[in-house]
Amino acid sequence: MTKKERAGIIIEILEKEYPDTGCSLEFDEPWKLLVSVRLAAQCTDERVNIVVKELYKKYDSPQALAEASPEDIEKIVRPCGLGKSKARDIHKCMNQIVHDFGGKVPDNFDDLMSLAGVGRKSANLIMGDIYGKPAIVTDTHCIRLVNRMGLVDGIKDPTKVERELWKIIPPEKSNDFCHRLVDHGRAVCKAREPECEKCALNFSCKKR
């Protein structure tokens, strides 16, 4: 069985296991996802969803965040960890959105990568969840699971994992596939104590 064939089977199973997948960061405007994904670094999505409620009560637009001081932003986002650097990135990013992109989150990968605090993972998330374009988000769940499933071979570097997955994951399936990996990683294929006995993918698991 080729990796592409294996990936096709895994995609079908994950679609049945997690039919209603999606981003667990809560947002109703594109710029809010951009803020949340920066805060989510080394922080749980659940905590981010709580913290941003207070942030958006005080700053309800990219313009408002751009005009705020990084220090004031930090006071609110500190519970997410790395408050100083995250606040600085959010402030600079929102300034770029306002002054370089007319207040709108850009819809192409290179422009997204030019924003403060935005790396490949964040750019892919925006491309997939906001603009509905093919996207592979190589977060910790993705990297752990695709190695266990044998879709990549001992690769831990996110960019290299992404590159390998583009070869075998159909573009139209890519975004939901990554969300379903997160679902499965949280529910079953956990980092320390995976529940292998109830895993629908244990046939393909190197760990097992």
Side-chain angles (χ1 to χ4, degrees):
M1 182 185 300
T2 66
K3 288 181 179 178
K4 195 167 187 177
E5 291 169 338
R6 183 187 296 268
I9 295 171
I10 290 171
I11 288 170
E12 287 185 10
I13 292 173
L14 287 174
E15 287 175 345
K16 292 177 182 177
E17 293 288 312
Y18 309 98
D20 301 318
T21 195
C23 183
S24 54
L25 291 169
E26 298 172 359
F27 65 97
D28 55 11
E29 296 181 71
W31 66 272
K32 290 182 179 179
L33 180 56
L34 200 54
V35 170
S36 288
V37 72
R38 179 64 187 98
L39 293 176
Q42 300 183 39
C43 181
T44 65
D45 290 358
E46 291 81 5
R47 182 178 293 276
V48 171
N49 288 337
I50 293 171
V51 169
V52 293
K53 289 179 181 178
E54 182 181 352
L55 184 67
Y56 300 148
K57 282 181 183 178
K58 189 169 184 179
Y59 308 109
D60 61 357
S61 68
Q63 181 78 38
L65 279 169
E67 292 174 353
S69 70
E71 291 75 20
D72 285 339
I73 296 172
E74 182 188 355
K75 291 175 184 176
I76 299 175
V77 304
R78 190 178 291 126
C80 294
L82 304 174
K84 189 178 293 294
S85 62
K86 289 180 180 180
R88 184 177 63 245
D89 284 343
I90 289 169
H91 180 257
K92 184 176 180 180
C93 180
M94 292 300 107
N95 268 283
Q96 290 175 283
I97 293 293
V98 171
H99 298 295
D100 299 338
F101 298 101
K104 296 182 179 180
V105 176
D107 62 356
N108 74 79
F109 197 84
D110 289 340
D111 283 344
L112 285 167
M113 287 286 288
S114 74
L115 298 174
V118 175
R120 294 190 66 85
K121 182 176 76 171
S122 301
N124 270 300
L125 185 66
I126 297 294
M127 292 294 286
D129 279 27
I130 298 298
Y131 296 112
K133 297 183 180 181
I136 290 180
V137 179
T138 50
D139 65 358
T140 55
H141 292 291
C142 173
I143 294 170
R144 182 176 75 254
L145 268 65
V146 296
N147 272 282
R148 287 180 177 176
M149 294 170 180
L151 298 183
V152 301
D153 300 314
I155 304 173
K156 300 299 174 67
D157 178 81
T159 302
K160 292 179 180 178
V161 170
E162 179 190 339
R163 189 181 302 129
E164 291 303 306
L165 291 179
W166 278 123
K167 299 176 184 177
I168 59 175
I169 304 298
E172 70 277 9
K173 301 281 189 178
S174 58
N175 193 43
D176 284 345
F177 169 69
C178 293
H179 282 315
R180 290 187 172 103
L181 289 180
V182 174
D183 293 337
H184 193 61
R186 288 173 175 166
V188 179
C189 193
K190 302 168 186 176
R192 295 184 179 179
E193 296 182 1
E195 300 181 37
C196 301
E197 68 284 351
K198 70 175 188 180
C199 179
L201 298 173
N202 58 25
F203 72 93
S204 184
C205 182
K206 289 184 175 182
K207 185 177 180 66
R208 183 172 176 85

